[in-house]
C-alpha cells in the first residue's frame, strides 16, 4: 500500500469532513431520484440534471467554508485554486445515465489529493445508503466496518466488469474481449459502484477506458485500502492530473494477469 505523510494534518478530521460532504450530496440527490427531471446534454453528450448540480454546489460551499485554501475540482463546475497542494475532487453523480433511468447503481465520488496523489476517497450510494471510505495507511471501511478484497488469484474464477464496451476504441475492445473470455463472469455497467464491490470482495477486476480524474481519484484509496491494486493499463500509478485508462483488481496476482491482456492496446 502506498503511503505519504499527508495525514499529519488530522486524518480523522479530514475523514469526518469527507463523510459530511457525502451526507450533503446525498441529501441533495435523493429527492430527485426516480422523478421526472429536465435532462441536459453537456458538450460530450453526457447527461446532467439538477441533482448533479445541487449536490456539487452543496459540497463546494462546505469546502469553501471549512478549507478555503484547498483547491476544488468538480465535474460540473470545474477548478478553483488548481495550484493548491490539497485538492478536493468531486463527481456528484458518477453514473448519471443510470440515475436518469432509475437504476440505483450510481454514486457520489469524493477524493482528497495531496500534490496529485489520492490520499482519501469516498464512494457513496445515497439511495441504498452504501458507503466505502478509504484513506492511505488505513483499512477501507464499508458501512462502518473494515472490508477486504477477494484473495483468489485465478483469473478463470474472476468476475470482471466495465461500464460499457461502447466506450472502448477498437484495440481496447479487442483487448477487453480477450480478458472477458479468460474470466468466469462479466458484468456491464455499475460505474463507481463496481470499484466498491472490488473492495468488498464481490467483483475481482474492473476495466475502464479513458476517464477523467473526478471519475477515478476517489477509487484509489478505497481499492488499495482493501488490499487491491489500481493503476492505468500500463501498470503506472494514477496521479489525478490527467485522464487515464483504469485497471483495478482485487490483488496483485489478478492485476498482473489482467494487465497482460490489456497492455499494448
Amino acid at each position: 500500500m502506498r503511503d505519504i505523510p499527508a495525514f499529519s494534518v488530522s486524518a480523522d478530521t479530514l475523514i469526518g469532513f469527507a463523510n459530511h460532504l457525502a451526507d450533503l450530496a446525498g441529501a441533495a440527490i435523493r429527492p430527485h431520484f426516480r422523478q421526472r427531471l429536465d435532462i441536459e446534454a453537456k458538450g460530450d453528450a453526457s447527461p446532467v440534471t439538477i441533482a448533479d448540480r445541487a449536490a456539487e454546489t452543496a459540497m463546494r460551499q462546505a469546502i469553501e467554508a471549512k478549507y478555503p485554501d484547498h483547491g476544488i475540482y468538480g465535474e460540473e463546475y470545474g477548478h478553483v485554486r488548481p495550484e493548491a497542494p490539497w485538492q478536493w475532487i468531486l463527481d456528484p453523480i458518477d453514473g448519471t445515465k443510470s440515475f436518469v433511468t432509475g437504476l440505483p447503481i450510481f454514486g457520489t465520488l469524493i477524493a482528497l489529493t495531496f500534490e496529485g496523489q489520492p490520499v482519501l476517497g469516498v464512494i457513496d450510494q445515497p439511495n441504498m445508503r452504501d458507503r466505502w471510505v478509504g484513506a492511505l495507511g488505513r483499512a477501507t471501511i464499508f458501512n462502518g466496518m473494515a472490508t477486504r478484497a477477494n484473495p483468489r488469484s485465478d483469473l478463470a474464477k474472476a468476475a470482471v466488469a466495465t461500464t460499457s464496451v461502447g466506450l472502448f476504441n477498437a484495440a481496447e475492445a479487442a483487448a477487453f474481449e480477450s480478458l472477458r473470455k479468460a474470466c468466469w463472469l462479466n458484468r456491464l455497467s455499475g460505474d463507481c459502484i463496481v470499484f466498491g464491490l472490488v473492495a468488498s470482495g464481490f467483483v475481482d477486476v474492473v476495466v475502464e477506458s479513458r476517464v477523467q480524474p473526478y471519475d477515478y481519484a476517489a477509487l484509489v484509496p478505497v481499492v488499495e485500502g482493501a488490499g487491491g491494486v489500481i493503476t492505468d493499463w500500463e501498470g503506472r500509478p494514477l496521479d489525478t492530473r490527467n485522464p487515464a485508462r483504469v485497471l483495478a483488481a482485487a490483488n496483485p496476482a489478478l492485476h498482473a494477469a489482467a494487465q497482460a491482456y490489456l497492455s499494448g492496446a
Side-chain angles (χ1 to χ4, degrees):
M1 182 185 301
R2 296 180 301 117
D3 199 5
I4 61 174
F7 281 123
S8 59
V9 183
S10 185
D12 291 332
T13 298
L14 291 169
I15 292 168
F17 182 68
N19 276 296
H20 174 59
L21 294 180
D23 291 341
L24 291 173
I29 291 167
R30 279 189 291 273
H32 300 290
F33 184 55
R34 293 180 178 164
Q35 303 298 311
R36 295 194 180 277
L37 303 174
D38 291 330
I39 303 168
E40 299 176 36
K42 295 191 287 190
D44 61 358
S46 61
V48 62
T49 71
I50 187 175
D52 300 77
R53 290 171 174 153
E56 185 167 323
T57 296
M59 291 189 286
R60 281 177 172 270
Q61 289 175 344
I63 295 167
E64 292 285 5
K66 180 76 172 178
Y67 297 111
D69 57 334
H70 287 193
I72 306 172
Y73 178 28
E75 179 175 11
E76 306 307 330
Y77 294 112
H79 223 152
V80 295
R81 295 179 293 278
E83 74 288 348
W86 293 95
Q87 296 284 329
W88 293 92
I89 302 181
L90 311 173
D91 190 345
I93 299 181
D94 182 74
T96 302
K97 292 178 182 177
S98 293
F99 177 79
V100 300
T101 52
L103 297 171
I105 50 174
F106 61 91
T108 297
L109 294 177
I110 301 163
L112 178 62
T113 67
F114 182 74
E115 296 182 346
Q117 296 188 57
V119 297
L120 170 60
V122 176
I123 304 172
D124 186 67
Q125 209 304 317
N127 292 86
M128 294 189 292
R129 309 295 177 115
D130 283 339
R131 184 177 297 176
W132 292 265
V133 181
L136 283 182
R138 300 188 179 203
T140 294
I141 301 299
F142 174 60
N143 291 348
M145 299 189 66
T147 190
R148 293 293 293 175
N150 201 316
R152 66 183 166 216
S153 58
D154 186 352
L155 202 59
K157 296 179 181 178
V160 62
T162 189
T163 295
S164 171
V165 293
L167 299 175
F168 296 132
N169 64 31
E172 292 167 345
F176 179 77
E177 178 66 8
S178 297
L179 173 60
R180 181 193 69 78
K181 288 179 177 178
C183 294
W184 164 64
L185 182 69
N186 71 280
R187 303 301 300 163
L188 301 180
S189 194
D191 292 283
C192 62
I193 299 301
V194 291
F195 289 87
L197 294 174
V198 169
S200 291
F202 295 102
V203 175
D204 302 298
V205 179
V206 184
V207 180
E208 297 290 9
S209 185
R210 194 165 298 277
V211 290
Q212 298 297 324
Y214 47 72
D215 295 309
Y216 69 76
L219 311 175
V220 176
V222 171
V223 171
E224 292 186 342
V229 180
I230 180 168
T231 67
D232 69 11
W233 286 22
E234 286 72 38
R236 297 174 300 217
L238 302 168
D239 78 356
T240 77
R241 285 173 278 210
N242 296 292
R245 300 187 301 179
V246 175
L247 168 62
N251 55 67
L254 271 183
H255 185 276
Q259 189 191 348
Y261 286 89
L262 301 177
S263 59

